[in-house]
Amino acid sequence: MVENGSEETHTENNISNNKGKQQDIVEQEKLHSYSLRPKISQRFRSAEVKELIHSILLARLADKEYNSETSNELSKLICFEIKDKLKSLNYDRYKFVVQCVIGEQKGAGINMCGRCFWDSDTDNYAESIYMNESLFCVAAAYGIYYY
């Protein structure tokens, strides 16, 4: 003999479990779409990212003087801020690598190089340079499409 109250509770639990499973399936379909190319509207746009990087460099470094003790933390802060802003641009399925170098302006030259193995149809990068009387900063952001 089954009481009506317990039978209704059991049925409600099954319905809520089914809804949870359906939501999980929809989320998994989004994750595993096996899209080999991003939509044109979702491609990593270097010009847009370069403007974003440059605005962050201007905001963070406009009134700064080079200090070897604080430049490490400052470069980390700039990297985190660039990465967070990139995430807010909603580039679906892109992984980001951000690099920032801060050095003292002493009149000496510097050469920087980066090499990557990537798909030139989907992956891209943007960089920006900031200089003032005391320091220079080079920041680069790489967008790599995750297949």
Side-chain angles (χ1 to χ4, degrees), residues 91-104:
Y91 286 120
D92 291 338
R93 300 179 65 108
Y94 271 90
K95 302 292 180 188
F96 302 112
V97 177
V98 179
Q99 178 182 8
C100 179
V101 176
I102 297 175
E104 188 173 11

Side-chain angles (χ1 to χ4, degrees), residues 16-64:
S16 65
N17 285 342
N18 287 339
K19 286 181 183 177
K21 288 178 185 178
Q22 289 172 350
Q23 288 175 342
D24 289 343
I25 290 170
V26 169
E27 288 176 12
Q28 286 178 354
E29 287 174 356
K30 287 180 183 176
L31 290 175
H32 303 295
S33 64
Y34 301 106
S35 174
L36 295 179
R37 299 280 181 253
K39 296 175 185 173
I40 294 193
S41 63
Q42 290 296 314
R43 288 203 173 182
F44 189 89
R45 294 178 295 280
S46 292
E48 177 183 28
V49 175
K50 183 174 183 158
E51 288 177 19
L52 179 138
I53 294 170
H54 195 67
S55 68
I56 291 171
L57 294 182
L58 284 174
R60 291 286 175 190
L61 301 173
D63 59 345
K64 300 284 189 223

Side-chain angles (χ1 to χ4, degrees), residues 38 44 86 91-98 116-119 122-125 141-147:
F44 189 89
L86 284 172
Y91 286 120
D92 291 338
R93 300 179 65 108
Y94 271 90
K95 302 292 180 188
F96 302 112
V97 177
V98 179
C116 300
F117 183 71
W118 66 20
D119 184 349
T122 58
D123 306 336
N124 213 336
Y125 79 100
Y142 301 87
I144 297 97
Y145 188 72
Y146 184 68
Y147 295 100

